[in-house]
Every structure is written in C-alpha cells, then in structure tokens.
Amino acid sequence: MNAIITASDLASALTGQQPPVLLDVRWQLSLAKTPGEPPFDGRKAYESGHVPGAVYVDLDRELASAPGSHGRHPLPDLAEFGTAMRRAGVSSGTPVVVYDGGQGWAAARAWWLLRWTGHPDVRVLDGGLPAWRGPLETSVPTPAQGDFQPVPGATGLLDADGAAALARSGVLLDARAGERYRGEVEPIDPVGGHIPGAVSAPTNENVAPDGRFLPAEELAARFKSLGASEDTRVGVYCGSGVSAAHEALALAVAGIPADLYVGSWSEWSSDPSRPVAVGADPQESERRAGRSAGD
C-alpha cells in the first residue's frame, strides 16, 4: 500500500463507500521569533478552514509526551494517544488520511505513530493542505467514537544505543539540515554535530518545491547513493523525531523500510557522555569523535 495519497485521489475516496478518517495535524517548529510575535497556533489555523470532516490533532499534546530526558518530542503515553485517536474517529478497520500545512513533518509523525501502533491503512496527503483543491469548512465535526487500540511494535523503533549500533552496522540517516549535521550551527539543542557514523540526508531534499514527494524512483536513487536500500537495515533521526518521521515516510515511498530514533538529537546531545561528531565525512567524524571520547 502506498504511504501517500494525492489530493485528487483523496477527493474521490471521500465520496466512496468507505471514506477515510481525516486528521489535521498542523504544527510548526517554534524557534526564536520577533519579540511579541505569538507562537503558531495549529488549532486556530484548523478552525479558520480545514478539509471537510477533518478532526484536529495536537502534535505536542497528543502525538508526544512532555519534553524531558528522552528529547523534545518523546513518544506519547499510549493510553492518551489511543484516547485521542478514538476521539478523532479512528478505527482499526477504517482508512486514515493525515495532512498538515504542507511541510509534511507533523502529518508524517501521526502516520508513523499509527503505523507503529498497528493501524494497517494510513496515508499522508502529498503536499498537505496547499495541495487540496476542494472546499474548506470551519465547523468542527464530532465523529463517531473509533475503536482503535494502539499496540506498539508494528514498525521499528530505535533508542540511543540502537541508533549508535546501527550507525556502525547499517545506515543511520540524519534528516536535519546539513549545517546542523556538520556542527556549524545549532539553534535548539545543547551542542551541534551528529551521531558518529551517521550520514547526512536532509529531508527537504526528498520533496519538490511544492512540498510534494519526488517520484519513488528518484527517492530510491537518492537513498541508494547514501547507502540505503531495501537490502540494508536503515534508521533515521532528526532533532526531535518529527522531521525524521517525514524521512521515514520518504523511505517508505521509495520501498525502503526504516527504523526511527524518536529521541533523536535532542535526546542524544542532552547526555554529555555520548560522543559528538562534526564535519561532513561520516567516517572521518567517527574517528574524531572516538578520539575525543577517549580524552
């Protein structure tokens, strides 16, 4: 089953015999803003206009637990996640389509969580809300209660030790911007750099200028050039497990299964005992990190 759906196919599906449950997960990473500028409000954006029938899901509150030692967006409490999904009308036997404001990161986080907890039919609207050409509504629907019961483990999950091991034995992709991977800048976390042995693979290179994914064959070629294929164990991380979910989605489109390190760099860099690598060459940086760790 394809992990993404076009806007035209979604419009057709919504008029079919078994229309999908629609989840609106609009969210933006909150970085430094102009003094006095309010933070992005996903619910307000949803209430100003959404795909008819869509239910708003709050990434920070329903798709993650509170920030802490396991990163800025740790896994949500599964009971609370299940309650949120059932409130939104999600059932195990009903297809689900998730969208966001166009970046795709937040929608991919919801996609990954639902897949990880056992939902068999979840897709992301390719291009997000900007790709939708149908009408919008402002009324908030009250869907029938769903029956989805999350059972973790259907897809791969990495912890810090697992990510470090995979960087040595397989391919660990770093989905952040290249300058953060190289350690040149770090706007959020305690230190810049990357997990030793990880390969830089910015997730924005998986999409066209309109935010839609590149064709599957182009994605497969890109990942192959980075050492990732269906014959290799692949993992991915980012800053806090959100944009990495988008990279996992791109890998799925390319036909390559991937594990996700949800804690990502925000967890890794919070522990000063873990080695930090810098620079563009994964092998050279690994040697440098190894020497510094032994000082």
Side-chain angles (χ1 to χ4, degrees):
M1 184 191 72
N2 201 341
I4 58 176
I5 185 172
T6 66
S8 59
D9 285 347
L10 174 59
S12 297
L14 290 173
T15 62
Q17 293 185 343
Q18 190 180 38
V21 171
L22 282 176
L23 305 181
D24 182 313
V25 197
R26 270 178 274 184
W27 171 88
Q28 288 182 10
L29 178 64
S30 296
L31 297 175
K33 294 179 178 290
T34 303
E37 182 181 355
F40 176 78
D41 188 333
R43 182 174 291 278
K44 184 176 180 180
Y46 164 81
E47 291 174 349
S48 69
H50 52 267
V51 179
V55 176
Y56 178 70
V57 174
D58 190 312
L59 184 148
D60 290 316
R61 293 178 175 83
E62 296 172 319
L63 304 182
S65 53
S69 61
H70 291 296
R72 281 181 277 110
H73 288 104
L75 288 172
D77 176 88
L78 286 183
E80 294 179 6
F81 173 66
T83 297
M85 294 298 98
R86 291 189 293 275
R87 171 191 60 81
V90 175
S91 293
S92 57
T94 304
V96 177
V97 172
V98 192
Y99 71 87
D100 58 23
Q103 187 179 44
W105 294 5
R109 172 74 174 217
W111 166 83
W112 184 87
L113 277 169
L114 282 165
R115 295 290 293 132
W116 178 64
T117 53
H119 198 288
D121 189 353
V122 190
R123 287 178 286 178
V124 169
L125 175 59
D126 195 16
L129 188 62
W132 176 251
R133 295 292 180 263
L136 299 178
E137 69 176 12
T138 57
S139 59
V140 177
T142 305
Q145 182 83 354
D147 64 14
F148 180 65
Q149 297 290 337
V151 179
T155 56
L157 175 68
L158 294 171
D159 59 12
D161 290 340
L166 184 56
R168 297 188 297 268
S169 64
V171 176
L172 181 66
L173 301 178
D174 186 317
R176 298 171 301 158
E179 58 269 25
R180 293 183 69 190
Y181 168 89
R182 296 187 296 270
E184 297 166 358
V185 298
E186 181 43 64
I188 310 171
D189 294 312
V191 63
H194 58 270
I195 297 173
V199 177
S200 180
T203 195
N204 63 357
E205 295 181 16
N206 297 322
V207 297
D210 63 3
R212 289 186 287 184
F213 281 106
L214 299 175
E217 59 273 15
E218 291 185 28
L219 290 172
R222 183 200 180 209
F223 290 125
K224 184 177 180 180
S225 73
L226 297 172
S229 69
E230 64 274 13
D231 300 321
T232 307
R233 189 180 175 202
V234 179
V236 61
Y237 75 97
C238 60
S240 66
V242 179
S243 67
H246 190 260
E247 184 118 299
L249 177 58
L251 284 155
V253 172
I256 303 171
D259 300 337
L260 178 65
Y261 174 25
V262 173
S264 285
W265 189 247
S266 59
E267 178 185 43
W268 183 276
S269 63
S270 68
D271 184 344
S273 71
R274 295 192 183 107
V276 171
V278 296
D281 184 341
Q283 300 308 316
E284 176 61 24
S285 62
E286 185 172 9
R287 291 194 292 273
R288 291 166 61 187
R291 285 201 300 271
S292 64
D295 288 346

